[in-house]
Amino acid sequence: MEAQVLGKLWGEGRLEDQPCRVGSLKTNLGHLGAASGIAGLMKVALSLHHRELFPMLNLNKVHAGIDLAASGLTAQTSLEKWPEKDGAPLAAITSTGLSGSNAHAVLQAMPEHDMPYFDYKNTSYLLPISAHTPEALQQATRNYAQFLAAPAHPTIHNLCASASITRSHRLYRSVFQGQTIAELSNQIEAALSTGSTFSQGHITMHTHTPLRVAFAADIETSENWATCCKHLLAEPAFFALISECDHILDEALSWSLMTYLDDAHQEQRLSEPAIKQIGNLVLVLGLARLWIQWGIVPEALITEDMVLAQAISNLAAQLPLKQVFVQLLQQRVPELQLESLDSSDIAPLLLPIFSCDNAEALHAMDCTLILELGTTNEQTPEKLQEIPWLTVLQSGEPKTYRAELLATLGYCYQHGAAVDWRQVYSAPFRMVNLPTYAWQRKRTWLDWLSVEEISTAPEEKYRTAVVETSSPVSATAEPATLRQQLAELAAGDRTAFLLSHFSTTIMQLLELESNPQLQREDTIFALGLDSVTITQLLNHLQQQLGCALPFTLLFNNQTLGTVIAELLSIIDRPATEKSMQIAHQPA
């Protein structure tokens, strides 16, 4: 039936020498149960990625009832290059379940040409590596060293974005920073060559001391605020914040900060001191939004400015900024004479506020990092010297801004931060085949699963059973155990006996700790059986009863009661009637 459906979907109208190739994953990996659909999707995706048609294994003969050629289909039994044709390759995956849940998806390969190369000028990238144990982390780092030493390697953007976004991040972490692949490679080799440096400087376990960040924020009237803003506009989160503030400024003052950044000599509606105040205010808020978007969310604020604290609190809680921003303008630039807003519109503060003098409270909340939002690098207050204090932009050199941001982010990552890497590497990138972990290349097989059980087709088992039961049974042959027990029971007791037998057999098949208490009304598919265990159950019944059973027995009957009723009717039929039925069964 499935072949007929696929033939109608994909086979009709094809040229004879261009059939639709059909494959199966079960012959490659075995029975995967609930994971079979996603595993099939992975096989098709890999086939499209490598432009190769993967073969099925151990297909010797197609079922006599399936005419592949008439359906425009052919079984893929050898590894081949993807046929050349116009357009990107297409493939489909079909997953069918015994319970009737079916899914079908169509996939298209990525274009052959590479994606545009995105890079930040004069800056660096972070390459995070993590594992469950220090030993696994060191081995993973060696794998990256070998990977980067190969002649053909990806661009640094594609590499770092793939390693950051597509990998899970484990407890033990290492991070390397560089502008080129060569710099990353040199850093990794240096770390591996000095074991003590590697273990102390590049591995951090964060289970016991999770990162707890406090933002230190104040609005200093820095002279280079415009330069900072211009270079930080490349960061999407910063750009979004400054655009939001610019819209508010244009609405309230008919003045645009973005226009001013493009041309500082334009006709001004505001005095230079007012512009400087606004610029520094937007710079601090933009940096706060940037870190929050990257996943570094503060749990406290260190500031003397309560309105600024309100604004950052709103950013952390993803609340509207307009009312608080206007309040900040009123406070910092009173000469603007903006109309006051009703304070009831302002949300309550959601973060605790501390001053630098209140170090005891910060220690009490187990603060592990203070992140200063700004370009100043003042000396850490004496009372807070036990807590790491990092200034976001230390050098004041625009060409190193992103490098400094990433260096601080790398520190946070190593100390357990749940970094949102999709925001850090928001530019498009092409996926890279990264170095694998040791366990990814190990073959896995279920010890209890018989090779003969899963490699013999059900119809083949059925034919064997038919041949055995069609032959005269020797007079000396011992009757099947279950059949003999049923024969010794009264007719009214046989249903209860079979229910108990089903219960014991299913407990063994599913490796349950105790017998399930089955009722006649229980449905087959509610028992937890799948295609393999149903086949095993059917074969067990055939052996125990000494007769062939139709493969549809457990599919056409919805409840155990109807299954048992049909079983008993098959057992009670005269031998001649059973022989006629067997002779008419399809091969």
Side-chain angles (χ1 to χ4, degrees), residues 125-128 155-165 184 425:
Y125 287 83
L126 286 183
L127 175 63
T155 66
I156 189 170
H157 177 78
N158 288 340
L159 169 69
C160 293
S162 296
S164 303
I165 295 172
L184 290 178
Y425 294 117

Side-chain angles (χ1 to χ4, degrees), residues 262-278:
D262 289 337
D263 181 11
H265 300 290
Q266 65 170 330
E267 181 181 352
Q268 298 302 322
R269 289 188 175 88
L270 305 178
S271 66
E272 287 298 331
I275 294 174
K276 186 185 298 183
Q277 288 280 0
I278 293 172

Side-chain angles (χ1 to χ4, degrees), residues 8-25:
K8 280 191 168 294
L9 283 173
W10 304 111
E12 288 187 354
R14 286 180 172 271
L15 298 177
E16 189 174 343
D17 60 344
Q18 295 179 1
C20 177
R21 316 297 183 94
V22 178
S24 170
L25 184 69

Side-chain angles (χ1 to χ4, degrees), residues 6 36 41 51 62 111 158 167 351 362 476 482 521 555 571:
L6 292 177
S36 60
L41 183 67
R51 299 298 202 276
V62 178
N158 288 340
R167 282 278 168 91
L351 295 173
L362 281 171
T476 59
L482 182 61
E521 296 77 19
F555 298 97
I571 294 171

Side-chain angles (χ1 to χ4, degrees), residues 216 369-373 376-377 380 387-394 407-409 411-412:
L369 175 66
I370 298 173
L371 201 57
E372 184 178 2
L373 305 177
T376 59
N377 189 18
T380 304
I387 304 174
W389 183 302
L390 300 180
T391 303
V392 174
L393 304 176
Q394 295 186 14
T408 304
L409 184 69
Y411 177 93
C412 295

